[in-house]
Amino acid sequence: LGNSGQRLERNCPGVQSASERNKRCRVAWPFALCRSALCSWRAAVSDPICANLSKDESATGVKTFHSLAQVDHDPSLPLESAPRDAREVLVNLVHTIINHQDKLDKEWYKLTISALRDSGLADNAHAKSRSERQPFVWSLFAEVVLISSISNALYIAFLAMGRLDELPSLPDVAECKTEPTHLNWKRIIKDDRKIRFDDRIVWGPFLKQSDIDINSAELKKLSETALTTLIGSVNTMMPWIGLIFSPEDLAFARHVEYSYVVEDFLSFKQLDPKVRCTDSIQRKDIETVVVAVADAVSCEHCLITHGILKDGAKDKKKTFTAEREGLLVRFGHAMVSRPPDINLIDDIRKEIRDKYDEATLVEVSGAAGGIQVVTRVAQSTGRQPPAPSARRQVKVVLGCCNVFS
């Protein structure tokens, strides 16, 4: 595939060597949890029960939670030491994240956190009391959401390209096993600060940069990449702020985002031709796919944020026609169908190849897959859209950046 093949070889976590994946995929909980999330995700993608529930426009987060709790999804997962009820909680969470992200609400979040806490999956020898265990519950939630979303992003990108046979297998993933990382968040937070809660930002807990003791010995448990990602994500402008309690998985999710969508969202610079498959792709093309996906899944945060970015992106190459925009929008909508509409995806893939080239297909496939990590992160945590004042600031910056492409 020429340049498109080089792009995948350089940037795609799905085709790197096991040793390289091992560096980025160090999970914060027993490794069986990661494999369980992957197994559950594979079953969830085309689950007929979920397909029927997803068509119920009246279904709320609470209804979705209780409906899935009554379903036997056969949690035959590599968590042999956990009770069946605990495994069911995990399976149902994965199915919800993959198939019902547009139905999530605060009550769903509260029910899910409670179920995870009661499941015993987050119990830890270092945490004696319920209050000490609570951060491990938040970490468990963050890890399952991130692993499921990353798995889905890889699947969507390779499905869009028609290259599912290149996805890593479970035995491949098993090579990435590493030791658990249990962080004591009390030691990470400054003495005069505490974990924050504010429904105007997210439903659950979060931190700001000013809350973290960057010199804490506890942070030395993290890889350099995870630490850098954590510090960069504890920002109320970022969609990731509600899932910071699993830093290693967060770092991997951000890597997928950068590799598959845009290497730097907020610099407003031209796309780097050294890491793109074709110089015919513009920022406006990428943002069009992203906005289409966000619109199809009703992710208000992503729709508003990336809508601003799309409007601000310039058509320097004069190739962004109404026909091209329409095709990219249809492509973005098709990639969120549940279960996947294979015939429709095949038709649109062929249309993109016929009108443009394979490299363009690779780029837009990455965008359609990568942004689905972000939409699920935002919707599972109740990430609220940027405040009007923040939106105005972004627009001012865009107006000053003549290089934005």
Side-chain angles (χ1 to χ4, degrees), residues 235-369:
N235 182 322
T236 54
M237 283 289 291
M238 302 294 288
W240 310 91
I241 195 168
L243 294 179
I244 60 171
F245 292 92
S246 185
E248 297 290 350
D249 296 297
L250 179 59
F252 190 38
R254 296 296 301 273
H255 173 72
V256 171
E257 175 196 26
Y258 293 146
S259 297
Y260 276 41
V261 190
V262 173
E263 52 270 18
D264 193 340
F265 276 96
L266 299 179
S267 68
F268 311 123
K269 296 178 181 179
Q270 298 183 44
L271 298 180
D272 186 350
K274 295 180 180 178
V275 297
R276 313 311 294 191
C277 297
T278 170
D279 60 6
S280 66
I281 283 289
Q282 301 185 96
R283 181 74 180 261
K284 205 169 190 72
D285 297 318
I286 299 297
E287 296 296 347
T288 296
V289 175
V290 167
V291 169
V293 170
D295 176 55
V297 297
S298 303
C299 180
E300 188 178 5
H301 180 275
C302 295
L303 187 59
I304 290 176
T305 303
H306 288 278
I308 294 173
L309 298 176
K310 178 189 173 186
D311 292 342
K314 292 176 172 53
D315 180 22
K316 288 190 174 183
K317 299 181 184 297
K318 305 303 179 185
T319 57
F320 192 76
T321 62
E323 179 185 27
R324 185 180 179 96
E325 180 179 20
L327 177 56
L328 294 178
V329 169
R330 287 191 289 114
F331 175 78
H333 286 172
M335 298 318 301
V336 299
S337 57
R338 281 293 182 270
D341 189 335
I342 301 300
N343 291 332
L344 176 60
I345 293 170
D346 287 345
D347 290 343
I348 297 180
R349 181 194 307 122
K350 182 178 184 303
E351 189 174 350
I352 292 175
R353 279 176 171 152
D354 291 346
K355 290 185 176 180
Y356 305 109
D357 52 25
E358 185 72 21
T360 298
L361 175 64
V362 171
E363 290 291 352
V364 297
S365 296

Side-chain angles (χ1 to χ4, degrees), residues 30-319:
F31 180 71
L33 193 61
C34 176
R35 291 196 61 200
S36 298
L38 287 169
C39 290
S40 301
W41 161 77
R42 291 189 175 196
V45 171
S46 300
D47 183 73
I49 298 173
C50 284
N52 290 330
L53 182 59
S54 65
K55 297 175 183 177
D56 184 356
E57 297 182 358
S58 66
T60 62
V62 173
K63 181 177 179 179
T64 300
F65 179 91
H66 289 301
S67 295
L68 290 178
Q70 297 172 10
V71 174
D72 183 3
H73 278 128
D74 185 24
S76 53
L77 306 173
L79 280 173
E80 292 83 359
S81 61
R84 181 182 177 86
D85 289 348
R87 287 179 281 161
E88 287 178 344
V89 170
L90 176 62
V91 172
N92 290 340
L93 174 56
V94 175
H95 279 250
T96 303
I97 295 301
I98 297 304
N99 291 321
H100 310 294
Q101 64 183 104
D102 58 332
K103 295 178 170 58
L104 307 186
D105 52 34
K106 185 178 179 181
E107 291 305 310
W108 168 84
Y109 177 84
K110 291 165 60 177
L111 285 169
T112 299
I113 293 296
S114 178
L116 289 173
R117 183 182 61 242
D118 296 341
S119 71
L121 289 171
D123 288 352
N124 184 279
H126 303 291
K128 305 299 183 182
S129 66
R130 177 166 174 165
S131 61
E132 290 178 326
R133 288 198 303 270
Q134 190 61 43
F136 291 100
V137 176
W138 297 329
S139 296
L140 173 60
F141 175 81
E143 178 164 338
V144 175
V145 171
L146 289 168
I147 291 173
S148 303
S149 300
I150 293 167
S151 301
N152 182 73
L154 299 179
Y155 168 79
I156 290 298
F158 280 74
L159 171 64
M161 293 184 291
R163 296 165 63 171
L164 286 178
D165 60 324
E166 297 181 30
L167 276 174
S169 65
L170 282 176
D172 291 334
V173 176
E175 297 179 20
C176 300
K177 180 177 180 178
T178 57
E179 294 301 315
T181 301
H182 297 297
L183 296 178
N184 186 330
W185 286 91
K186 187 176 181 180
R187 297 176 182 173
I188 293 173
I189 302 171
K190 294 178 180 177
D191 292 340
D192 60 341
R193 302 299 175 92
K194 59 183 180 180
I195 293 175
R196 298 172 184 261
F197 293 88
D198 188 342
D199 287 353
R200 294 171 299 178
I201 298 175
V202 287
W203 295 324
F206 67 95
L207 296 171
K208 292 184 178 180
Q209 286 186 7
S210 58
D211 300 325
I212 295 178
D213 178 6
I214 194 63
N215 296 316
S216 168
E218 195 74 6
L219 291 177
K220 291 181 170 57
K221 295 180 180 180
L222 297 176
S223 65
E224 183 179 350
T225 300
L227 177 57
T228 301
T229 303
L230 172 64
I231 299 304
S233 300
V234 285
N235 182 322
T236 54
M237 283 289 291
M238 302 294 288
W240 310 91
I241 195 168
L243 294 179
I244 60 171
F245 292 92
S246 185
E248 297 290 350
D249 296 297
L250 179 59
F252 190 38
R254 296 296 301 273
H255 173 72
V256 171
E257 175 196 26
Y258 293 146
S259 297
Y260 276 41
V261 190
V262 173
E263 52 270 18
D264 193 340
F265 276 96
L266 299 179
S267 68
F268 311 123
K269 296 178 181 179
Q270 298 183 44
L271 298 180
D272 186 350
K274 295 180 180 178
V275 297
R276 313 311 294 191
C277 297
T278 170
D279 60 6
S280 66
I281 283 289
Q282 301 185 96
R283 181 74 180 261
K284 205 169 190 72
D285 297 318
I286 299 297
E287 296 296 347
T288 296
V289 175
V290 167
V291 169
V293 170
D295 176 55
V297 297
S298 303
C299 180
E300 188 178 5
H301 180 275
C302 295
L303 187 59
I304 290 176
T305 303
H306 288 278
I308 294 173
L309 298 176
K310 178 189 173 186
D311 292 342
K314 292 176 172 53
D315 180 22
K316 288 190 174 183
K317 299 181 184 297
K318 305 303 179 185
T319 57

